[in-house]
Amino acid sequence: MASSAVALRRVVQRYAPLLLAVTVAAAVWASATGDIGVRSSLPGAVPLALALLSGWAVAMVRTRRWPLFLAAAVGWLVLAAAAAGVVASYQAGLRLHGRRLAGFLAGAAVVLAGGVLIGLAVGGVRRMTTAASGNVLMLAVCLVGLPLVFGLWVRARQETLAALRDRAERLEREQEARADRVRAEERTRIAREMHDVVAHRVSLMVVHAGALEVTAADPTTVEAAALIRTTGRQALTDLREVLGVLRQAGPGMAPERGLDALDALDELIGESRAAGLRVSRRDEGVPTALPATLGRTAYRVVQEALTNVRKHAADAETIVCLRYLSDGLEVLVRNGPSEGGTTLPGAGQGLLGLRERVELLGGRLEARPVDGGFLVRALIPMAGAA
């Protein structure tokens, strides 16, 4: 129903000027023939020309107003035809201001006075219609007053609606600005808390790992301390990138690691191997250049999947597979059965956030147990990341 109403309104707005022009032209002709006014004794070509002129002037009123005012004056003085005058008075109230409106009223008074003089000179029905005092007063009200007041009311209503729209838009912009300011303040507060708490703890971990690496005599302990120190430094780098995003006043993304770097995924797998995982990589298809957003998302999929393997199945065989498709990239991380052992705690939100990230690009994420192990499969379309 709403769409039908909108379509009908558009049709009316499109063809209303033409319909009004035809109506005014027909009314002027009918007035000249005596059907709705005073019959004219002039040759038929004159009323026809004035009718066509009046219709054309009404159709052109949106771009030129003076032809309508001229046609209204000539039509009234020559034929006592009121149709163009009614439209002219309405348009004057709708579009004229100040001195121009006062000029129109003065011109209308002159035309009405001229009609009185012509009626007195012609006599008969014309005199009774346009020169009698009561009729002149009624014509002034119906021909000028009421259409003019209606035009003024329509204009006032349009101006009021425009002012209300402007006010609503201004309030909406102010509300958005306040919301942006609140979000920026909250982001700054979160960044400050993360820097004061998390960065401090990770820095202490890196320092202690470095001291242990220097003082330890056992090669295995030295290697483990070096890995902890390197991982801690990388965590500090990632944390600085996150804090940079949080401190930005507007929306933005800090540079993230992704598959655009040839060694990024191999480095991630190497870190996992150094931590004790048995990880292998396999690529299928023809490697192609990937959009940066797709590469970052794929990197995060592998990173989160390997993190979960370290937490829950550190002794399992794990395969990372990248399958290059014609319209996207498929990422699979699958680990085999685990013999159990110590698992690290987790919040359980990693895969949920990862699924949201993949779906934002129009892809889908699958995470489920398979043959005693676990499978993480992400299909990321190229179009969603472009």
Side-chain angles (χ1 to χ4, degrees):
M1 291 295 292
S3 60
S4 299
V6 172
L8 179 61
R9 186 182 305 171
R10 289 178 179 176
V11 171
V12 171
Q13 291 177 350
R14 181 176 181 180
Y15 294 104
L18 178 61
L19 179 61
L20 181 60
V22 173
T23 302
V24 169
V28 171
W29 175 256
S31 178
T33 58
D35 293 335
I36 58 173
V38 181
R39 183 179 180 85
S40 175
S41 59
L42 297 173
V46 175
L48 180 60
L50 288 177
L52 295 177
L53 173 64
S54 299
W56 172 80
V58 169
M60 296 293 294
V61 72
R62 291 186 177 180
T63 56
R64 298 177 181 178
R65 291 187 295 269
W66 68 266
L68 177 60
F69 298 151
L70 178 62
V74 173
W76 179 252
L77 293 175
V78 176
L79 303 176
V86 172
V87 179
S89 298
Y90 169 77
Q91 290 294 329
L94 184 65
R95 301 174 183 273
L96 299 184
H97 301 79
R99 293 181 178 180
R100 291 186 177 183
L101 183 58
F104 170 82
L105 292 175
V110 171
V111 171
L112 288 175
V116 172
L117 296 177
I118 294 175
L120 292 174
V122 174
V125 179
R126 177 71 180 266
R127 177 175 182 174
M128 183 184 302
T129 304
T130 62
S133 58
N135 288 344
V136 171
L137 180 59
M138 184 181 65
L139 288 171
V141 173
C142 297
L143 199 63
V144 180
L146 292 180
L148 182 69
V149 171
F150 184 65
L152 291 172
W153 176 80
V154 171
R155 184 178 70 189
R157 184 173 180 273
Q158 291 177 348
E159 292 175 350
T160 301
L161 292 177
L164 291 176
R165 283 194 295 268
D166 291 341
R167 181 181 179 185
E169 292 174 358
R170 185 174 65 255
L171 291 176
E172 185 177 358
R173 289 193 298 268
E174 292 176 355
Q175 184 177 3
E176 291 178 355
R178 286 195 296 269
D180 291 340
R181 185 166 60 252
V182 171
R183 284 194 294 267
E185 293 174 355
E186 182 65 14
R187 287 156 67 106
T188 302
R189 186 188 66 80
I190 294 174
R192 184 168 56 249
E193 293 295 329
M194 290 181 64
H195 179 271
D196 294 343
V197 178
V198 180
H200 175 69
R201 298 294 185 184
V202 176
S203 299
L204 288 178
M205 180 186 70
V206 172
V207 171
H208 286 298
L212 180 62
E213 182 182 3
V214 173
T215 59
D218 183 12
T220 304
T221 303
V222 172
E223 183 178 356
L227 178 61
I228 295 173
R229 178 175 56 81
T230 303
T231 305
R233 287 182 175 177
Q234 183 61 49
L236 286 175
T237 300
D238 294 340
L239 182 59
R240 279 195 296 269
E241 293 178 355
V242 173
L243 295 180
V245 172
L246 289 175
R247 289 193 177 104
Q248 288 179 4
M253 288 290 296
E256 292 188 59
R257 302 180 68 181
L259 293 178
D260 51 334
L262 297 178
D263 58 345
L265 191 57
D266 288 331
E267 183 179 345
L268 177 62
I269 293 176
E271 293 174 357
S272 299
R273 287 171 179 164
L277 293 184
R278 293 178 291 171
V279 187
S280 60
R281 173 181 173 179
R282 184 175 74 248
D283 292 356
E284 298 179 3
V286 180
T288 58
L290 300 172
T293 305
L294 191 153
R296 288 193 296 266
T297 302
Y299 183 91
R300 294 307 179 192
V301 169
V302 176
Q303 186 182 50
E304 178 64 26
L306 292 180
T307 299
N308 289 336
V309 172
R310 286 199 298 270
K311 288 180 179 179
H312 307 293
D315 59 336
E317 289 280 354
T318 305
I319 298 176
V320 176
C321 177
L322 298 183
R323 186 172 297 156
Y324 293 89
L325 307 175
S326 59
D327 57 349
L329 179 70
E330 185 179 16
V331 182
L332 296 98
V333 181
R334 179 175 178 176
N335 63 273
S338 172
E339 297 179 359
T342 303
T343 61
L344 297 176
Q349 300 297 316
L351 290 177
L352 179 61
L354 200 60
R355 177 174 285 106
E356 293 176 352
R357 183 166 186 161
V358 171
E359 290 177 350
L360 281 176
L361 299 182
R364 62 179 185 270
L365 180 75
E366 177 187 2
R368 58 184 175 85
V370 175
D371 298 333
F374 202 81
L375 170 68
V376 176
R377 176 178 177 268
L379 182 61
I380 312 171
M382 193 82 70

